Amino acid sequence: MTARTSHDVIGRLGAMVALGLITAGLCLGGAQSAANAALLAVLLSAALILVAANARAEALIALVNRYWLPILAAVCFITYTTATAWIATDDFAPLRDYWHPFWRQFGFDHGAISISPYRTLEGVAALFAPLAAFALGALTIHTREDRRVLSTLVLIFAALFGVLSLYWLLTGVDTRLEAQFGSANAAATTLGVFALLLAARLVRATRKPSDYVLAQPAQLRPLLLPLTAPFTFVVLALTLACLVLTGSRAGILATAAAFVIFGVLVWAPWRRTAGAAQLSRGAIFAVAILAVVLIVSGGQMLFSRLLQVGADAGVRATLLEMHWQIFLQRPLLGHGLNTFHELNAHYLTIATWRDAGDVGSVHNIYVQALEEVGIIGFVLLSLMLAPTMLRAGISAATKSSGSEWAGAAFAAATLALIHGVVDFGLQTPAIAALIMFCLGAFANGAAKRNGSKDQRN
């Protein structure tokens, strides 16, 4: 076995292990508990160490050169949040003035910036899962063949997750599909991400239509595209059906918006020759028809939930107002990473008890991030994500190999950010790891084949 072949095999095995671990985390409730989040982080980090130890030096250098700003932001964020969990004594002057008021309120002679240091350390540990997943994606996917293998893995794991989700719904007591998340909204985010990846695989299949499709009149070819990749189309239909069964209003709307973004990138007139563009548009059209059929035939739950928007909006408004005020108390430093439960309990009042007394998050990832890590941490988080999303968007909008995959990764991250305005999917470790793995694998659209740059579309 040559050195090049050894690197490729180990890289693809690393991608398989990473996606398998992430899917296992999704099937086990998203790794939301502290123990499961830490376990997922440890396993993904171990896989990253093994892959990095066998990676070519030029691959590691390229990773650092390409993502130096997100890497620097991640290091600063981990350093900053870990420092906020340091419990110092009263005679340690440099940090005393920055202690959370909680410590003074109860008369302690020691304190920390975080209201709950152990929760903050748990959050830091959980953060390594999406960070390791991103690095694994970036280190293991280099060639078109790598992407082809990864797309097959995505297909298999999406089918597995969809089948299990239906099984849990049919054998459980829930009326909405929640998988094992305990939240239909988190399930909707996951299914939306899988649906976008499957759509990218379907669009890629239009480059090489089957002989049967090519034998048909040109006007009919776009309508027969599912026959080019029938299993992909079936799994996509399963995934979208599961998405409808979640009854998640915001999740479905965010997925629709993400598909519009993906469709615009795929449909862009500068992307392809006329024939290929017609087939790609046909694939998007087929997905759109499928989505409409599923919503019309099985969307009774969704329509009934739309009637409850007013009541749910009132609860969301109470949470937003309450936690925005908590953020304003410490806007620069925040109250500590991963301390929502302590903050929610500490600042509850008689007026907010009914709506906020038994919730698991702010239902807005931006307000929750601001109150936990402050403006400093929020800026660092933005610098970790924004450059990578920008790279994916540029790769998707230009003529480069794998631009459909870059578009799907960009749209998946956008889906989570849109849905995060009213829900919390991106805060679930396994969901964040899935999205970051896809960004790492697909953001850099151009790829090599047989050691040379592949410039074909």
Side-chain angles (χ1 to χ4, degrees):
M1 180 180 290
T2 65
R4 178 178 296 275
T5 303
S6 174
H7 290 307
D8 293 340
V9 169
I10 292 173
R12 291 175 189 176
L13 285 175
M16 181 184 300
V17 169
L19 196 55
L21 289 172
I22 292 170
T23 305
L26 294 171
C27 292
L28 294 174
Q32 297 183 71
S33 70
N36 288 340
L39 179 60
L40 179 63
V42 167
L43 293 176
L44 286 173
S45 297
L48 173 60
I49 291 171
L50 292 175
V51 170
N54 289 277
R56 302 183 186 91
E58 56 267 28
L60 296 173
I61 295 173
L63 175 66
V64 174
N65 289 337
R66 188 177 300 132
Y67 298 111
W68 66 268
L69 181 55
I71 292 173
L72 178 61
V75 171
C76 291
F77 183 83
I78 292 172
T79 303
Y80 166 68
T81 51
T82 302
T84 65
W86 181 29
I87 301 176
T89 58
D90 190 50
D91 57 357
F92 193 81
L95 286 180
R96 185 172 53 204
D97 294 337
Y98 300 104
W99 288 359
H100 194 279
F102 167 86
W103 299 89
R104 290 295 188 193
Q105 182 177 347
F106 288 92
F108 292 121
D109 60 356
H110 54 272
I113 295 174
S114 170
I115 189 175
S116 180
Y118 85 95
R119 287 283 195 183
T120 295
L121 293 178
E122 288 177 354
V124 172
L127 182 64
F128 279 90
L131 293 179
F134 174 81
L136 278 166
L139 279 176
T140 57
I141 307 301
H142 300 292
T143 67
R144 294 177 63 192
E145 289 74 15
D146 292 338
R147 279 202 302 258
R148 192 172 296 115
V149 171
L150 181 57
S151 73
T152 303
L153 293 174
V154 168
L155 178 66
I156 294 171
F157 288 125
L160 175 65
F161 183 78
V163 170
L164 287 176
S165 296
L166 277 181
Y167 171 77
W168 290 322
L169 176 64
L170 295 174
T171 59
V173 297
D174 297 320
T175 58
R176 298 168 60 192
L177 189 148
E178 298 183 357
Q180 295 292 293
F181 295 107
S183 166
N185 296 310
T189 301
T190 305
L191 291 163
V193 171
F194 274 133
L196 285 163
L197 296 174
L198 292 170
R201 179 179 167 89
L202 187 63
V203 171
R204 289 291 295 178
T206 64
R207 291 175 173 236
K208 295 181 180 180
S210 64
D211 294 337
Y212 173 78
V213 173
L214 291 174
Q216 306 306 311
Q219 295 83 353
L220 293 179
R221 290 176 191 171
L223 302 178
L224 298 175
L225 282 175
L227 298 178
T228 297
F231 190 52
T232 300
F233 192 79
V234 168
V235 177
L236 176 59
L238 170 66
T239 303
L240 291 176
C242 289
L243 175 62
V244 172
L245 290 173
T246 65
S248 173
R249 297 156 300 194
I252 293 173
L253 290 175
T255 300
F259 264 99
V260 169
I261 293 171
F262 175 71
V264 168
L265 292 173
V266 171
W267 211 321
W270 63 83
R271 286 285 311 280
R272 290 180 173 78
T273 60
Q278 184 183 23
L279 291 175
S280 296
R281 294 171 183 178
I284 296 298
F285 185 64
V287 173
I289 292 177
L290 173 62
V292 171
V293 169
L294 289 172
I295 291 176
V296 171
S297 61
Q300 181 179 358
M301 180 195 307
L302 176 62
F303 295 138
S304 65
R305 282 185 48 74
L306 287 174
L307 300 177
Q308 305 172 17
V309 168
D312 292 342
V315 175
R316 296 289 203 277
T318 299
L319 284 169
L320 284 176
E321 174 62 23
M322 172 184 172
H323 287 273
W324 180 255
Q325 293 302 319
I326 295 174
F327 156 66
L328 292 179
Q329 292 184 18
R330 288 169 66 84
L332 192 62
L333 297 177
H335 298 262
L337 177 66
N338 193 41
T339 59
F340 166 80
H341 292 285
E342 285 71 20
L343 291 173
N344 199 61
H346 187 61
Y347 290 97
L348 271 178
T349 65
I350 295 176
T352 60
W353 177 266
R354 187 186 66 176
D355 290 339
D358 187 24
V359 294
S361 75
V362 180
H363 287 270
N364 183 299
I365 60 175
Y366 306 100
V367 172
Q368 188 164 333
L370 283 168
E371 74 170 354
E372 289 186 356
V373 297
I375 294 174
I376 294 176
F378 190 86
V379 169
L380 292 174
L381 283 173
S382 300
L383 291 176
M384 290 164 59
L385 184 60
T388 306
M389 284 191 63
L390 179 62
R391 176 177 288 272
I394 292 174
S395 296
T398 57
K399 285 189 173 183
S400 62
S401 174
S403 52
E404 296 91 350
W405 289 111
F410 177 83
T414 303
L415 185 163
L417 293 175
I418 294 174
H419 197 189
V421 173
V422 293
D423 279 306
F424 49 86
L426 194 57
Q427 294 170 331
T428 304
I431 297 177
L434 174 64
I435 294 172
M436 294 305 294
F437 177 79
C438 293
L439 281 174
F442 301 132
N444 191 38
K448 295 181 180 180
R449 184 176 185 181
N450 298 328
S452 60
K453 195 76 169 180
D454 181 5
Q455 298 294 340
R456 293 185 299 170
N457 296 337

